[in-house]
Amino acid sequence: MSFQAYLDNIEEKTGLTPRAFIALAKERGFDEPSTKAGVIIDWLKQDYSLGRGHAMALVHVIKKGPKIDAKHVGSSGSHRDESDTLWLDGKDNRP
């Protein structure tokens, strides 16, 4: 599953866009550099029933923003993405 597909699946499951999760995380102080991934994973599991893989996709965008490593772009395999920039504003709004 591509990185973007993880984010799209999270939106389908929760009704929240990745950008909405970023805002919620910021309200809780989870965007601070000192916040460990495990804290965010636990929050997403408890409040939204997200598994580790989906939670880690959100950890990335919360902590590092929408850019992903170019090695995942256009590569072969199930984890490839079409762009090095993830769309955070909802799958139905993607240009």
Side-chain angles (χ1 to χ4, degrees):
M1 178 180 300
S2 74
F3 210 135
Q4 187 66 58
Y6 270 110
L7 297 178
D8 292 347
N9 284 340
I10 291 165
E11 183 181 352
E12 287 177 16
K13 180 175 181 157
T14 66
L16 297 170
T17 66
R19 187 143 344 257
F21 276 106
I22 292 168
L24 291 169
K26 185 173 183 163
E27 288 174 9
R28 291 166 174 76
F30 293 161
D31 62 334
E32 296 293 324
S34 62
T35 302
K36 301 289 185 191
V39 172
I40 299 170
I41 292 167
D42 289 345
W43 162 58
L44 294 169
K45 181 179 181 179
Q46 287 181 330
D47 289 7
Y48 300 98
S49 301
L50 294 180
R52 183 169 180 81
H54 287 84
M56 284 303 296
L58 284 174
V59 166
H60 177 87
V61 295
I62 289 166
K63 303 287 276 176
K64 298 180 181 183
K67 288 286 191 181
I68 59 172
D69 194 306
K71 71 181 180 182
H72 299 294
V73 178
S75 63
S76 62
S78 60
H79 294 295
R80 68 176 167 77
D81 278 277
E82 299 300 320
S83 170
D84 69 348
T85 304
L86 300 166
W87 183 254
L88 305 179
D89 293 315
K91 61 187 183 69
D92 293 335
N93 297 321
R94 195 168 19 251

